[in-house]
Amino acid sequence: MMSKEQYSEDPILKTITNQNGMSVTIMDWGATIISIKAPVKNGDKREVLLGVSKPEKWSTQPCFFNATIGRFANRIAGNSFEINGKLYKLDSADRHTLHGGRVGFDKKRFKIISESSDSLALRLFSKDGDMGFPGNYTLTVTYTLKDNNALEVKYLGECDQECWSCITNHSYFNLNGHNSSALDHTVVMDSDSFLPLDDSSIPTGEVRSVKGTAFDFTSPKTVRRDFMKDPQMKAAGGYDHPFLIKGDLSKPFVKVTSEDGRLSMEISSDYPAFQFYSGNYVGMPKPNITARDDGRLYENQSALCFEPEYYPDCPHLPQFADKNPRVTPQKPLSHTIIYRFF
């Protein structure tokens, strides 16, 4: 049974705004973004995130909709890792630990610690041994809405022991503004390589060039154009792969444009990679999540996710250690994601 700190029936919602009329609504469960309403070219506002009809029903969707993910985003193979020769076993219901384990940060209630008209900060304490992870861990998430229609998300993760940690946001974007396929969004990425995965979605350790493959988004194309045209997509049901980036906040790693061309989004981050997920399991094993806008069920590929992060399963990829540091008492996790709409 969930405790009162998990999936509370009395969610706290806060909305931040900017001078252009853009608004972002955040819920204390999972420090979750439940709404982003961005201005489009003719002056209207458009909802760009998937969501359920009522905040109280958020716990009924299994897709991590728009939540803060931790203590470790993406997968850790075999539900375990070692630090300095000590084995840590993680609490997971699956073959591999996904998004922090059975009760990750997305299922926990954060405390609001500061707020203003354009900013909100939330904090969560995760005790030593939570889901099997070592150390007492405190995460602070700060959302700030800028007047250039950019939503800045800052993470500060502090731990009193050495610990693997990767915090991200799992927003499901559909820039069409209504329940629809996202496959006809146009995407361009500043990434020339990705990590191939095995049949259980764990990186093989290879870094593969995107050139000449269905994973090449270095020039704009729709997601549909090369969808399911690479054997790598068979197990995942589409795109669900890590792409490598420079991790430069001043340069977006992806630009996405709606099917009608009236709204675009750029994302930048100082993480070294991002997971591109084409929403392949939103409607699996059969559609059962009711969309908030029209009452119909969401189908697979109803949204696109771009999750800035370290390399998945990085505890078992020592060859990339320089890209994937552990949190220590002296070196907290400190990363930023910026979503800008225009």
Side-chain angles (χ1 to χ4, degrees):
M1 180 179 292
M2 293 290 184
S3 76
K4 66 180 182 180
E5 296 303 313
Q6 299 160 1
Y7 290 147
S8 166
E9 294 181 357
D10 57 344
I12 298 173
L13 307 181
K14 296 290 183 179
T15 298
I16 56 177
T17 59
N18 68 8
Q19 294 181 0
N20 304 317
M22 182 174 167
S23 65
V24 176
T25 300
I26 297 151
M27 177 171 59
D28 62 340
W29 309 343
T32 300
I33 311 171
I34 66 168
S35 172
I36 297 177
K37 293 179 180 177
V40 295
K41 290 184 170 61
N42 68 356
D44 295 336
K45 287 194 292 184
R46 179 178 288 185
E47 178 61 69
V48 301
L49 295 180
L50 298 198
V52 298
S53 57
K54 297 179 180 180
E56 294 85 352
K57 294 184 177 294
W58 221 262
S59 64
T60 65
Q61 57 78 30
C63 297
F64 306 91
F65 273 2
N66 318 330
T68 298
I69 303 299
R71 191 181 296 194
F72 192 94
N74 214 312
R75 292 169 176 85
I76 296 177
N79 300 318
S80 66
F81 57 75
E82 288 188 7
I83 296 178
N84 300 323
K86 182 176 180 179
L87 180 66
Y88 294 90
K89 294 184 178 181
L90 305 178
D91 184 355
S92 169
D94 301 308
R95 177 181 175 185
H96 308 303
T97 301
L98 176 65
H99 294 335
R102 194 187 303 266
V103 185
F105 289 2
D106 64 295
K107 298 175 178 65
K108 297 185 178 182
R109 185 174 187 134
F110 284 63
K111 180 181 180 181
I112 295 170
I113 59 171
S114 69
E115 60 181 299
S116 67
S117 62
D118 61 0
S119 185
L120 184 73
L122 306 98
R123 183 167 290 160
L124 177 70
F125 174 72
S126 172
K127 67 180 180 179
D128 182 24
D130 183 14
M131 295 295 105
F133 288 91
N136 294 298
Y137 188 99
T138 300
L139 175 64
T140 304
V141 183
T142 305
Y143 294 100
T144 304
L145 185 56
K146 308 286 189 176
D147 285 333
N148 65 346
N149 294 341
L151 175 63
E152 179 186 80
V153 188
K154 286 185 172 292
Y155 301 117
L156 179 63
E158 300 170 287
C159 194
D160 63 3
Q161 295 184 41
E162 193 169 355
C163 179
W164 287 107
S165 178
C166 177
I167 308 296
T168 194
N169 183 273
H170 205 317
S171 282
Y172 283 71
F173 292 102
N174 186 319
L175 302 189
N176 293 335
H178 59 274
N179 184 3
S180 59
S181 172
L183 290 178
D184 292 308
H185 283 55
T186 297
V187 174
V188 59
M189 299 179 182
D190 185 19
S191 174
D192 58 12
S193 55
F194 74 103
L195 300 182
L197 307 176
D198 67 16
D199 61 4
S200 64
S201 296
I202 296 297
T204 64
E206 176 191 356
V207 175
R208 186 176 298 176
S209 171
V210 301
K211 187 175 182 180
T213 76
F215 292 85
D216 190 349
F217 285 88
T218 55
S219 296
K221 68 177 183 181
T222 64
V223 178
R224 185 184 301 278
R225 194 185 84 176
D226 292 327
F227 190 73
M228 296 302 292
K229 292 183 180 179
D230 190 292
Q232 272 285 308
M233 296 186 209
K234 184 177 180 181
Y239 293 101
D240 192 7
H241 292 75
F243 287 73
L244 308 188
I245 53 176
K246 295 182 176 65
D248 183 352
L249 277 171
S250 68
K251 186 174 184 181
F253 63 78
V254 66
K255 176 185 175 183
V256 187
T257 301
S258 62
E259 188 175 344
D260 65 6
R262 294 173 59 207
L263 182 62
S264 294
M265 172 183 68
E266 291 180 338
I267 309 175
S268 55
S269 179
D270 50 8
Y271 270 118
F274 69 96
Q275 187 87 356
F276 173 41
Y277 172 51
S278 51
N280 311 320
Y281 299 104
V282 173
M284 292 289 283
K286 63 179 181 179
N288 62 2
I289 304 174
T290 302
R292 62 177 155 198
D293 62 333
D294 62 5
R296 294 187 298 111
L297 299 179
Y298 284 125
E299 301 283 348
N300 291 338
Q301 291 87 46
S302 293
L304 306 177
C305 302
F306 304 89
E307 306 156 57
E309 59 189 22
Y310 294 132
Y311 294 15
D313 197 34
C314 66
H316 300 123
L317 297 171
Q319 65 269 43
F320 305 125
D322 62 320
K323 298 289 187 181
N324 306 298
R326 289 195 289 254
V327 177
T328 70
Q330 296 76 33
K331 294 184 178 180
L333 179 145
S334 180
H335 281 291
T336 300
I337 303 170
I338 299 172
Y339 309 96
R340 187 176 74 88
F341 298 87
F342 56 97

